[in-house]
Amino acid sequence: MTIDDAPREALRGGPRELLRWVATGAAVSRADLSRLSGLSPSTVSQRVEALINQGLLEEAGAGQSRGGRRPRQLAVPTGGAVVGAIDLGAHHARIGTLDLSGRVVQGRTLPVRIEDGPETVLGTLLAEVTALASGGAPGASLASGGGAAGALRGVGIGIPGPVQHSTGRIVSPSRMPGWNGFDVAAFCADRVDVPVIVDNDANLMALGAHRTAHAELDHAVYIKAGTGIGSGVISSGRLHRGAQGSAGDISHCRVVADPAPLCSCGNAGCLEAVASGAALVTALREQGVPVDDLTGVLRLIDDGDRHATALARQAGRAIGEILAVVVNFFNPQVVAIGGRLADCEPLLASMRATLYERCLPLATQTLLIERVATSQDIGITGAAHLVIDHVVSAHP
């Protein structure tokens, strides 16, 4: 059984949690880790030594004595080893390198055309990430053991479509022509000599948001609302993907009866067809309101345009109706919305009101409903943690 398969209680004091405590500053010594985990000093010492041997922890000098030998301080290496991350969108991609604590070392936003196809888009982005990690020009060779900036330990990639996580293959994406069935993991494996972990972009946002803002909570739902709509689910403190990797895909849940807008998946009345950024653009154009993209929609809402504001409220209600089913069924501790639509106050207010109206009082009694902390790096942070978890899991 891998760490990803283990229940939350079995992870108490596991390698991943020990690493997280040191990375966040909650622990600076083996004694601290023993106190936090409840494990014996000898067990903690064995796990710490394994993490040191993997290059995930280091000893950084002696700490303050409390009446005996001065304890050796622990730290996450901030130089040398890095993790590469790619958060791919329809029009832009955020790429970066992060240290082994999940902190961003370098980050860049690049324009992309998803319709250019997987080989072109991913080939370019991998070259850029390799350049960031190696300190060289795009396309510079970097294997697991070298590079000017040290060792690249792996690359995490977020895809804006359904991903079969176990294989790294894209399955029937609705807005990615030419990407269906593409084996992202195999393509990348031919270009970088490190593990490449592929997942849906909403899952990576959920993982990044949970690790940075809600690590103490066991159950959470994170919605990514931008050009499309998706969500990621945290259950028992870990990312929940379901049997094939499609857990949390709310985009094609039906919310409108016939006649209803046609969705990109071929069905009618899906959440994405009525509440996504792309849907708002289409609806405004049909009403005769000139708007080019989601940026234009948000500008209209900020200016108080009644058509755009009414559509945003309708979208919030539609999202809230789907999430009400999720909240009643799953009973999370937090529902957080990220993506560009998260800053749309009429949508957020409508979603929140619908949740309180449609959910059982017990389900909302202590429920947090909030925005994901605004950060363009939340996706690459999740991608980095995905790789770090893989590295830790591979060396128990």
Side-chain angles (χ1 to χ4, degrees):
M1 180 171 63
T2 67
I3 283 182
D4 279 336
D5 298 323
R8 174 76 160 185
E9 53 270 21
L11 295 177
R12 189 72 177 172
R16 179 192 304 172
E17 193 160 24
L18 298 183
L19 182 63
R20 181 172 64 82
W21 280 328
V22 175
T24 59
V28 296
S29 68
R30 289 168 173 80
D32 291 339
L33 292 174
S34 182
R35 174 178 51 82
L36 288 169
S37 66
L39 298 173
S40 68
S42 60
T43 299
V44 167
S45 183
Q46 289 174 356
R47 295 182 179 182
V48 166
E49 289 301 321
L51 290 169
I52 290 174
N53 290 336
Q54 296 169 52
L56 299 174
L57 283 181
E58 65 181 7
E59 292 181 332
Q64 185 174 358
S65 173
R66 295 183 179 179
R69 187 171 56 184
R70 296 172 68 189
R72 288 173 291 177
Q73 287 189 303
L74 300 171
V76 175
T78 56
V82 293
V83 172
I86 298 172
D87 183 20
L88 178 62
H91 306 293
H92 297 88
R94 183 71 177 170
I95 67 169
T97 56
L98 298 90
D99 65 26
L100 297 178
S101 70
R103 285 186 287 261
V104 177
V105 177
Q106 298 181 81
R108 294 182 60 193
T109 299
L110 303 173
V112 298
R113 285 168 37 93
I114 205 77
E115 60 270 24
D116 286 344
E119 291 92 347
T120 297
V121 172
L122 292 174
T124 299
L125 294 177
L126 275 176
E128 293 287 348
V129 167
T130 297
L132 285 182
S134 66
S141 175
L142 184 63
S144 58
L152 181 68
R153 300 301 298 266
V155 178
I157 302 177
I159 301 292
V163 175
Q164 189 176 41
H165 176 72
S166 60
T167 65
R169 191 179 295 273
I170 301 173
V171 182
S172 301
S174 58
R175 296 182 181 276
M176 303 174 69
W179 290 69
N180 183 37
F182 189 75
D183 192 335
V184 178
F187 175 83
C188 297
D190 290 337
R191 286 158 178 79
V192 289
D193 187 24
V194 293
V196 176
I197 316 297
V198 187
D199 212 329
N200 174 265
D201 62 341
N203 279 348
L204 296 192
M205 187 199 76
L207 187 60
H210 184 254
R211 295 287 174 87
T212 56
H214 301 121
E216 76 286 359
L217 301 182
D218 288 339
H219 310 295
V221 176
Y222 297 91
I223 303 93
K224 185 173 185 179
T227 302
I229 292 181
S231 75
V233 178
I234 301 293
S235 179
S236 296
R238 60 189 176 89
L239 188 62
H240 177 70
R241 298 186 179 89
Q244 295 294 325
S246 66
D249 191 345
I250 60 174
S251 57
H252 301 294
C253 293
R254 188 178 176 89
V255 292
V256 179
D258 292 329
L262 186 66
C263 182
S264 57
C265 72
N267 290 320
C270 297
L271 181 64
E272 186 168 294
V274 300
S276 66
L280 296 180
V281 171
T282 299
L284 282 171
R285 288 174 178 171
E286 291 175 349
Q287 293 182 15
V289 178
V291 62
D292 295 326
D293 51 24
L294 181 53
T295 299
V297 174
L298 295 175
R299 187 178 300 116
L300 287 172
I301 294 170
D302 288 340
D303 290 341
D305 181 89
R306 61 187 180 92
H307 298 290
T309 301
L311 285 171
R313 288 181 178 139
Q314 291 174 19
R317 281 194 293 273
I319 296 171
E321 287 175 3
I322 294 298
L323 289 180
V325 177
V326 173
V327 169
N328 281 330
F329 179 80
F330 179 55
N331 191 200
Q333 295 156 295
V334 61
V335 170
I337 182 169
R340 298 187 66 197
L341 285 176
D343 292 327
C344 179
E345 189 57 42
L347 183 147
L348 187 63
S350 184
M351 182 193 83
R352 181 182 286 112
T354 303
L355 278 172
Y356 282 121
E357 176 188 345
R358 298 293 183 91
C359 291
L360 295 171
L362 183 60
T364 58
Q365 193 173 60
T366 59
L367 179 67
L368 298 173
I369 305 173
E370 60 187 36
R371 292 183 178 92
V372 172
T374 302
S375 171
Q376 62 180 343
D377 290 329
I378 200 71
I380 62 172
T381 298
H385 280 289
L386 198 67
V387 175
I388 294 167
D389 289 351
H390 172 80
V391 171
V392 173
S393 300
H395 300 83

